[in-house]
Amino acid sequence: MSKHPSGIDINDYNYELPQDKIAVYPLEKRDDSKLLVFKNKSITDTFFKEINRFLEEDSILIFNNTRVIQARLNFKNLKGQSIEVFCLEPNESNLDLTQAMLTKEKILWKCLVGNLKKWRNEDLIILVNGVTITARLIEKFGEFVLVEFLWQSDNLNFAEVLEKIGAMPIPPYLKRNSESSDAVRYQTIYAEKDGSVAAPTAGLHFTPEVSKKLKSKKINSLYVTLHVGAGTFKPVKSSTLAGHSMHAEWMEVTKETIEELLASETKKKIVVGTTSLRTIESLYWMGMKSFYDPAIKMGEIELTQWDPYNNSYSQISVKESLTSLLTWMKKNNLQQLVCKTSILIAPPYQLKIADGIITNFHQPQSTLLLLISSIVGDAWKDIYNHALINNYRF
């Protein structure tokens, strides 16, 4: 790659986004949302329910089947003051999110805490729907807090406890409290694996009717998992990307999915959302690591944000990369790849596996907007300006 993205000036990715352009509530019918299609440098305005018209027959859609957990817990201290605990990720580095969700009786989590100054040396307790959960403050480090959760109720696992007691962590830019309807509307129709603290929002527009149209056009579906972390909302506060640290997120991809990608070399592969894109592009670089170092360990195969830009390896084909990754998984007796990725996709990154993306509009000065720029170049400015003028819901 000719230029390192660490030197990108984030001010070049700013635009004015009025609050009244943000979709604070979803439409009654998900697929009635407007759809902007950018292809061959031209823009077409349509509706999401017509998306099948713009996808090639026999192409592949790649979805992120993560499920949002109700990660916000609202406690009160002994004085009746509110303290909100936002669960981010399990503390144990060797415990993936799926395992953490199935844990019973007690678990340590890294959290963000609202009104932390009001949390003294006391346990916080919630009793809702016959479930009691206790939060115990263990340690403060930086902006995070280590919290031990303890519960005893009908042999429930942590996911089930959160489902009964927690609130949905809707994005902060919506500037409203979560409501009971969010428990359904802030999940994709294909959500399956508990673990995200934010929805893969591009997928929220899919309906059974749209899925039926896609199926009739012989458009196949593949599923990967990337558990979206709170870092997805983290703005770039440094003047250049060099000062920004990408959040690590858990990804899970089965051997069968990688084999399908390998067998679909000639088919168009369209990812649904930036999280799906980050997952399958991570596969390429992990495969390249295993290609040049067949003895590489799991902790070493995980991606840092600069891995695609700093490596000294000669690039290999997607076929070579995915074949090598499958060989490495077989050698290590892995039926699925479960690890973390911090991949940063920004100019001058060029897509390795994906051919296109279905995505929402993104916040100014965000790494997600940089990702889009890596695909469409400076045309993102014309696309976003067109969307703002034509009353698209952001």
Side-chain angles (χ1 to χ4, degrees):
M1 298 184 185
S2 58
K3 186 181 177 183
H4 201 285
S6 60
I8 287 177
D9 186 341
I10 197 61
N11 290 317
D12 292 339
Y13 294 86
N14 199 7
Y15 69 93
E16 187 176 345
L17 177 57
Q19 184 65 25
D20 63 5
K21 295 293 185 182
I22 294 176
V24 179
Y25 291 95
L27 296 178
E28 187 64 32
K29 277 193 97 281
R30 299 173 185 238
D31 56 12
D32 279 343
S33 299
K34 294 176 73 172
L35 176 68
L36 185 155
V37 180
F38 181 74
K39 188 175 182 180
N40 298 327
K41 299 184 179 180
S42 66
I43 292 174
T44 302
D45 296 306
T46 183
F47 293 92
F48 198 86
K49 57 190 171 188
E50 301 296 327
I51 194 169
N52 58 296
R53 294 172 40 217
F54 300 92
L55 297 169
E56 291 183 13
E57 187 170 301
D58 205 31
S59 56
I60 295 176
L61 284 181
I62 301 166
F63 297 90
N64 180 7
N65 65 1
T66 188
R67 189 171 184 273
V68 186
I69 59 174
Q70 300 196 167
R72 291 187 185 275
L73 298 170
N74 294 301
F75 293 88
K76 289 187 183 298
N77 64 13
L78 293 175
K79 294 182 178 180
Q81 298 166 313
S82 295
I83 298 174
E84 183 187 79
V85 179
F86 184 8
C87 302
L88 295 177
E89 63 180 13
N91 182 58
E92 291 87 347
S93 59
N94 63 339
L95 187 67
D96 68 56
L97 273 164
T98 299
Q99 294 171 315
M101 289 293 112
L102 296 175
T103 299
K104 297 180 179 179
E105 296 187 0
K106 64 179 181 179
I107 191 170
L108 286 169
W109 272 67
K110 292 178 183 175
C111 302
L112 294 174
V113 176
N115 221 6
L116 180 58
K117 291 180 180 178
K118 304 297 182 183
W119 193 352
R120 304 298 181 182
N121 296 323
E122 59 180 295
D123 290 350
L124 304 178
I125 299 174
I126 301 177
L127 171 58
V128 179
N129 298 325
V131 178
T132 301
I133 186 169
T134 300
R136 186 166 293 161
L137 181 60
I138 302 299
E139 182 186 356
K140 301 175 185 177
F141 50 101
E143 59 183 323
F144 304 111
V145 175
L146 185 61
V147 177
E148 183 179 35
F149 295 106
L150 306 99
W151 66 96
Q152 287 181 325
S153 179
D154 299 327
N155 210 26
L156 296 178
N157 61 41
F158 192 56
E160 292 166 331
V161 169
L162 292 178
E163 195 75 21
K164 289 178 177 290
I165 285 182
M168 194 62 77
I170 59 174
Y173 53 75
L174 296 185
K175 296 186 177 179
R176 66 172 174 85
N177 293 325
S178 60
E179 301 174 9
S180 57
S181 61
D182 293 318
V184 175
R185 299 306 304 277
Y186 198 53
Q187 299 281 17
T188 62
I189 62 172
Y190 47 84
E192 181 183 339
K193 297 188 176 182
D194 288 315
S196 281
V197 297
T201 50
L204 294 177
H205 304 292
F206 283 83
T207 61
E209 292 79 13
V210 168
S211 298
K212 188 175 180 181
K213 288 181 181 179
L214 296 172
K215 195 170 182 179
S216 67
K217 200 171 179 179
K218 297 180 181 177
I219 294 171
N220 298 314
S221 299
L222 277 183
Y223 296 92
V224 297
T225 305
L226 184 84
H227 293 304
V228 190
T232 192
F233 302 131
K234 184 180 178 182
V236 180
K237 294 182 178 178
S238 54
S239 58
T240 67
L241 273 190
H244 183 74
S245 296
M246 282 292 287
H247 51 289
E249 294 169 313
W250 281 100
M251 57 178 277
E252 301 176 22
V253 185
T254 65
K255 178 171 69 73
E256 289 76 19
T257 296
I258 299 173
E259 288 170 342
E260 284 281 344
L261 287 171
L262 187 58
S264 306
E265 190 176 4
T266 60
K267 297 180 181 180
K268 291 288 185 184
K269 290 171 279 295
I270 310 298
V271 295
V272 178
T274 57
T275 58
S276 300
L277 181 67
R278 294 179 68 238
T279 304
I280 68 163
E281 291 296 303
S282 293
L283 292 177
Y284 171 82
W285 298 100
M286 291 174 179
M288 194 164 83
K289 283 187 174 187
S290 68
F291 181 87
Y292 285 102
D293 182 7
I296 194 168
K297 303 296 184 185
M298 176 61 81
E300 298 168 333
I301 207 167
E302 295 180 343
L303 284 192
T304 70
Q305 67 185 63
W306 303 125
D307 272 349
Y309 313 98
N310 290 346
N311 74 82
S312 57
Y313 300 138
S314 299
Q315 301 242 341
I316 59 177
S317 68
V318 171
K319 184 176 182 179
E320 289 173 311
S321 171
L322 295 184
T323 300
S324 177
L325 186 57
L326 286 168
T327 301
W328 179 83
M329 289 175 68
K330 183 177 181 181
K331 179 182 175 183
N332 287 276
N333 298 313
L334 298 174
Q335 291 303 306
Q336 67 173 352
L337 189 63
V338 181
C339 61
K340 288 185 175 182
T341 179
S342 302
I343 189 173
L344 170 65
I345 297 178
Y349 189 93
Q350 294 183 334
L351 298 181
K352 302 301 178 186
I353 296 177
D355 297 296
I357 187 171
I358 298 167
T359 188
N360 286 326
F361 298 102
H362 302 293
Q363 293 279 300
Q365 297 183 312
S366 63
T367 56
L368 302 180
L369 184 55
L370 290 166
L371 180 151
I372 298 306
S373 177
S374 73
I375 300 171
V376 301
D378 285 341
W380 75 264
K381 298 174 185 177
D382 296 327
I383 294 169
Y384 275 55
N385 187 52
H386 178 96
L388 288 166
I389 291 172
N390 290 276
N391 295 316
Y392 277 77
R393 288 157 51 87
F394 278 55

